[in-house]
Amino acid sequence: MSNEARPERAPSRLSLRTIATYAAGSVGTGGYATLPGLVLTYFLTDNLGVAALAAGLIVTVAKVWDVVIDPLIGAASDRQLARTGSRRGFMITGAITLPVFFALTFAVPPSWGPAAGAICVLLAFLGTATAFSLFQVPYVALPAELTDGYDERTRLLGWRVIVLTAAILLFGAGGPMLRRATGDPVTGYLLMGIVAGLAIGVGMLIAARTARASALASPTPSPARLHSADETPRNAGDLGRGMQSRGLREQYLSGFRTLRRSAPFRALLGTFVLQALATGTMLAGAQYVARWVLGDEAAVEILFVALVAPALIATPAWTALSRRTGKERAFLGASILFLIASASIVIAVWMPGVWIYASVAVAGIAYAGLQSLPMAMLPDVISHDARTGGSGQAGTFTGIWTAGETVGFALGATAVSLMLAATGYISTVAGVETVQPDAAVTGIVLSFSILPAVLMALSILPLSRYRLRRSDIDAAQTLPA
């Protein structure tokens, strides 16, 4: 064998403890992503009497704030890693502060009036969003640091999505149950905010332990990581001082350079943002479908069971399929399946009924793949960029990624509120009954069916431009002799 030979190095296998600890963070992710998306717009329009358009604007402003700070948190997380060898500090700060702001978001009583109530909810939700970003941005960066194996990342993220799916079921069904537990909407929302906020914070704190483990993982770095911020570099002090000297403008420009440099990241991010927008519209519209299409506010819990229960079973199947066909092909299959399932719900305009649960269940099977597969592909993109570009700024990648995801979910709620406003939806305060016009009910169905289907179809275009394959990742597992 010549001196140029490059023997393969098998990636380390993650322990069950590491996988379980990391997956616990999805309790927080699932709770934050589910409850505000499910009930916040409804809380504003049907409990505080805020107009639908204004309610959508409140959610959008808070999410735009996320987009502004996420790249900064990502860069700061890279600096913390370079300085201390861990991203743990940011994660713990977010975990401790989020329960407080989350409870305050749902603590506003209708007696304060729509204007004052809207302002208070906006301020509290801005605090919640900031706390969540402090946790989520470094959390998403960890898989690239925990393992460099193509299939091992799928295994790690697959279990994370199983916990995420269970958390969505828990918060999506349990949150509305807590809201009704007191028999009074005002105290019910407060109870929901306190209990859910604490559960989210506990999950985040558990996952923060993984950040310490990631700094110690893989004692023999691969070429992809010799120049990477994903491990503590030998010249960590020099790197830390260099990154600290960068201004805000440079940190934002670094994110744009990342997008320009990495074609796989652009394709994956574009796909994920459009799909977050699609699923965000369904999430924001579920409560309205339950009350005004199915005729029972409590039906939202059944909708969530129909969506999430199949996903618990389907996630391992998507993981297995990705090993046979590649992550990108399995991801395409999940996207097409979700498109078909969501489009079929449009029939409810003319024939509403319990059959909707079947379509939602099929969408739930697809949703498991839409969550696990792109999250397993993101560490591949990060390590590929580190190997080819030598940058290895995982926090910068995940800051942009989290901002994009936030934009998608925020605009999903905005799209629903615009649809409601355009079709004449009537807002009200807690305890006051009203009747919605037929046009508003039609708008609710369209926002839950055709709108997400169209967005999912659009997401397939950037996905078709994703060129990173297993062979590209496996190439990073070789070392010079």
Side-chain angles (χ1 to χ4, degrees):
M1 182 181 293
S2 69
N3 292 333
E4 299 300 320
R6 296 165 64 89
E8 292 190 2
R9 176 179 60 83
S12 58
R13 186 169 177 83
L14 294 170
S15 69
L16 292 178
R17 180 179 180 180
T18 298
I19 291 175
T21 304
Y22 181 77
S26 285
V27 174
T29 304
Y32 176 81
T34 301
L35 271 185
L38 176 65
V39 303
L40 185 55
T41 303
Y42 188 77
F43 171 67
L44 289 163
T45 60
D46 285 52
N47 193 68
L48 301 183
V50 179
L53 194 59
L57 182 62
I58 288 171
V59 176
T60 302
V61 168
K63 297 299 186 177
V64 167
W65 171 246
D66 261 350
V67 173
V68 172
I69 65 173
D70 282 351
L72 299 180
I73 292 174
S77 177
D78 283 338
R79 293 198 300 271
Q80 185 181 68
L81 178 69
R83 185 176 65 255
T84 68
S86 174
R87 304 179 188 272
R88 191 179 184 186
F90 280 93
M91 297 174 71
I92 291 177
T93 301
I96 292 174
T97 56
L98 185 141
V100 177
F101 289 113
F102 195 89
L104 290 175
T105 300
F106 295 99
V108 180
S111 59
W112 289 7
I119 293 172
C120 291
V121 169
L122 173 61
L123 293 176
F125 195 51
L126 282 173
T128 304
T130 302
F132 180 73
S133 290
L134 287 172
F135 169 83
Q136 182 72 359
V137 172
Y139 177 67
V140 176
L142 293 182
E145 302 165 12
L146 289 168
T147 179
D148 51 11
Y150 181 86
D151 289 327
E152 197 66 7
R153 287 169 180 160
T154 307
R155 176 173 168 249
L156 173 65
L157 273 301
W159 280 107
R160 179 203 162 187
V161 170
I162 290 175
V163 175
L164 174 65
T165 304
I168 292 173
L169 176 60
L170 175 66
F171 287 98
M177 289 176 65
L178 285 172
R179 182 185 60 188
R180 297 194 305 271
T182 65
D184 172 49
V186 178
T187 58
Y189 273 111
L190 178 58
L191 176 64
M192 181 193 72
I194 293 173
V195 174
L198 288 173
I200 292 171
V202 169
M204 290 178 169
L205 282 173
I206 294 173
R209 295 177 59 85
T210 317
R212 183 179 180 184
S214 70
L216 306 174
S218 191
T220 305
S222 68
R225 299 165 76 174
L226 285 172
H227 306 287
S228 172
D230 293 344
E231 286 193 326
T232 307
R234 285 174 292 182
N235 298 319
D238 294 339
L239 179 58
R241 286 189 293 272
M243 296 182 78
Q244 287 172 356
S245 67
R246 294 160 57 188
L248 294 181
R249 179 175 179 272
E250 175 59 27
Q251 292 178 28
Y252 280 115
L253 288 177
S254 176
F256 285 115
R257 284 193 292 268
T258 298
L259 281 171
R260 184 172 64 249
R261 181 178 65 246
S262 177
F265 185 56
R266 289 197 304 272
L268 187 61
L269 179 65
T271 303
F272 193 69
V273 169
L274 286 169
Q275 294 191 355
L277 180 54
T279 54
T281 59
M282 291 193 75
L283 186 64
Q287 183 70 75
Y288 296 97
V289 170
R291 181 173 182 183
W292 299 112
V293 179
L294 297 175
D296 182 6
E297 191 174 86
V300 68
E301 296 153 23
I302 305 176
L303 281 173
F304 261 83
V305 171
L307 176 68
V308 176
L312 286 170
I313 302 172
T315 298
W318 288 116
T319 299
L321 181 63
S322 72
R323 289 173 178 165
R324 292 176 59 88
T325 66
K327 299 175 190 178
E328 69 287 342
R329 291 180 180 175
F331 190 20
L332 175 61
S335 303
I336 294 173
L337 184 61
F338 188 94
L339 189 163
I340 295 171
S342 58
S344 69
I345 301 175
V346 73
I347 299 173
V349 171
W350 305 278
M351 191 179 67
V354 296
W355 62 266
I356 291 176
Y357 298 133
S359 292
V360 172
V362 175
I365 294 173
Y367 182 71
L370 300 183
Q371 288 294 300
S372 62
L373 295 170
M375 292 302 299
M377 294 159 73
L378 178 60
D380 295 340
V381 170
I382 294 173
S383 65
H384 178 263
D385 179 77
R387 181 167 60 88
T388 58
S391 61
Q393 297 173 331
T396 301
F397 274 92
T398 57
I400 297 172
W401 180 269
T402 305
E405 180 181 20
T406 299
V407 167
F409 278 113
L411 294 181
T414 303
V416 171
S417 66
L418 289 173
M419 180 74 77
L420 295 178
T423 53
Y425 186 85
I426 302 173
S427 299
T428 186
V429 296
V432 177
E433 294 295 328
T434 188
V435 176
Q436 298 296 340
D438 291 341
V441 177
T442 298
I444 290 170
V445 175
L446 293 178
S447 67
F448 197 70
S449 58
I450 293 300
L451 185 54
V454 170
L455 292 167
M456 190 60 61
L458 291 174
S459 76
I460 294 175
L461 296 177
L463 179 58
S464 67
R465 302 188 184 100
Y466 183 83
R467 298 287 184 259
L468 204 57
R469 298 295 184 262
R470 179 192 297 271
S471 58
D472 300 305
I473 306 305
D474 289 344
Q477 308 308 320
T478 58
L479 286 169

